[in-house]
Amino acid sequence: MLNFLWLLIRPFAWLARWLRKIFRTAFGQLSWSPPFWLKRTFARLLLFRRGHPFLAPVIVLLAFVIAGGSVRGWRWYQSRPKPHTVSAQVAPIPVTPNEKELKFPPLMIEFSESAARLEDLKNPILQHVRLDPPVAGAWRWLNDRKLLFTPAQDWPADKKFRVLFDPDLFPAQVRMDKLEYEAKTPPFTAELKDVTLSEDAKEPGVQRVLATVQLSHPVEPGQLEKFLTLNLLGGSNVFPPNDPAPHFSITFGLHNRQAFVRSSPIVLPAEEDWMKLTLASGLRTGQGDGELHDPVEQKTQIPSKATAFQIRSID
């Protein structure tokens, strides 16, 4: 047995001596003192080998056998045929189009293959599937591979939902790879559009800064004024002294997802300047879930009294 083990480790011993010789040639002689625990461990192993001269090589050989068997066992397990499973893909939930009549977009789930029970294909309301947190609405099969959830109200902004399947939703032969998926609604966004200095049609000769705020989700009236500011970059004073801050008014449009900003009358400054409109982060939706994470800014030029009227070209 000892001769057999020596034949096994002899090539490795020769390789170790050869590597040690190369290392000494390149880096010189290095000194290393093993820690106490390592010395004690080797000492105990040496005592065990002397006390059990035949058992020690058997243990070493057994360790090699176990290691080799573990590798072969893992390879065998990996090569076993995997059970056939069905997967699902949850489509992104879009923002509800801002139309006169709101149509809330459904949540669509598509399966990799047929997954519906035949008796459920014409069922208008399905059980054994739900959203967490709950949302009022109804589940139904669009076809044998597409599952649809139609909400009864608009989706809240920037919110995660778990789609939870009960195994009873599927036929016995359908084996899902998992019974829980995730869906997420779009974040709350805002855009400042059509920022311009314009003469008021109702008051000839009076100029105001006009702007449109386009919102992805509705906000409560009175909230937008707390986050919108008008600032002159050059520090000019263009508002009448008797006009209190915030120097603008807001009227809301369709479904409180459009807001029209109308500044106080503008007094043209002595020098040209720029007015910047800033919608600060922190504005929340009317449903309270979504929040504006990044500020939105736009600016428009305020001409001076000398440059307010110019002829740029004549044809």
Side-chain angles (χ1 to χ4, degrees):
M1 177 66 71
L2 290 175
N3 291 335
F4 174 72
L5 289 176
W6 171 246
L7 289 175
L8 286 177
I9 65 174
R10 185 174 179 180
F12 298 100
W14 175 84
L15 180 62
R17 287 196 301 270
W18 182 71
L19 292 174
R20 184 172 59 183
K21 184 177 180 181
I22 292 178
F23 186 85
R24 284 181 179 177
T25 303
F27 302 102
Q29 182 69 31
L30 298 180
S31 177
W32 175 72
S33 179
F36 172 76
W37 65 268
L38 191 58
K39 288 182 180 179
R40 189 173 181 181
T41 302
F42 275 114
R44 290 187 174 182
L45 289 175
L46 187 60
L47 289 175
F48 180 82
R49 191 186 69 176
R50 290 176 180 175
H52 306 82
F54 296 103
L55 183 59
V58 172
I59 292 176
V60 173
L61 182 61
L62 186 61
F64 275 106
V65 172
I66 292 175
S70 299
V71 172
R72 289 185 62 111
W74 175 252
R75 289 178 178 173
W76 169 81
Y77 177 77
Q78 290 291 96
S79 64
R80 290 182 62 195
K82 303 295 188 295
H84 180 72
T85 57
V86 178
S87 61
Q89 185 173 4
V90 181
I93 302 173
V95 173
T96 302
N98 193 23
E99 300 171 346
K100 186 175 181 180
E101 184 179 349
L102 291 178
K103 297 178 181 179
F104 309 131
L107 169 64
M108 175 79 73
I109 303 175
E110 186 167 358
F111 295 84
S112 57
E113 57 187 72
S114 178
R117 294 179 180 271
L118 291 177
E119 60 270 23
D120 285 341
L121 288 176
K122 295 183 179 180
N123 192 349
I125 300 177
L126 291 174
Q127 304 297 325
H128 308 300
V129 56
R130 60 188 175 89
L131 288 176
D132 181 36
V135 176
W139 291 93
R140 66 182 179 89
W141 288 102
L142 191 62
N143 55 46
D144 62 338
R145 295 180 59 174
K146 291 184 179 179
L147 184 63
L148 208 66
F149 175 77
T150 305
Q153 58 188 13
D154 200 1
W155 294 98
D158 203 15
K159 194 170 184 67
K160 289 183 179 179
F161 294 92
R162 290 191 304 154
V163 182
L164 304 174
F165 294 121
D166 192 299
D168 292 337
L169 177 68
F170 309 104
Q173 72 273 12
V174 173
R175 188 176 199 176
M176 295 295 299
D177 61 345
K178 57 181 181 178
L179 295 174
E180 180 179 322
Y181 289 83
E182 186 179 276
K184 192 175 186 300
T185 58
F188 176 42
T189 59
E191 184 182 1
L192 283 168
K193 302 173 62 177
D194 304 325
V195 180
T196 184
L197 178 67
S198 179
E199 184 171 321
D200 196 322
K202 297 180 180 179
E203 302 175 82
V206 176
Q207 293 186 323
R208 302 176 187 270
V209 171
L210 307 177
T212 301
V213 184
Q214 195 74 40
L215 303 165
S216 62
H217 297 77
V219 298
E220 291 292 338
Q223 291 299 309
L224 198 59
E225 291 87 342
K226 299 177 182 178
F227 294 88
L228 185 66
T229 55
L230 309 183
N231 294 298
L232 273 298
L233 298 181
S236 302
N237 188 8
V238 298
F239 297 111
N242 60 347
D243 181 62
H247 307 299
F248 65 84
S249 61
I250 292 179
T251 55
F252 279 90
L254 199 60
H255 305 299
N256 285 3
R257 287 173 55 180
Q258 268 187 333
F260 304 102
V261 181
R262 183 171 176 263
S263 79
S264 301
I266 298 293
V267 178
L268 297 181
E271 301 290 338
E272 289 185 352
D273 208 334
W274 288 85
M275 178 176 286
K276 183 172 71 171
L277 281 70
T278 303
L279 186 59
S281 59
L283 175 66
R284 303 189 70 85
T285 67
Q287 293 169 296
D289 292 290
E291 180 178 315
L292 192 63
H293 296 295
D294 300 309
V296 181
E297 298 178 349
Q298 280 290 355
K299 61 183 181 180
T300 186
Q301 189 177 32
I302 305 296
S304 66
K305 295 177 181 179
T307 60
F309 178 75
Q310 291 181 335
I311 299 175
R312 300 188 181 275
S313 65
I314 297 177
D315 293 330

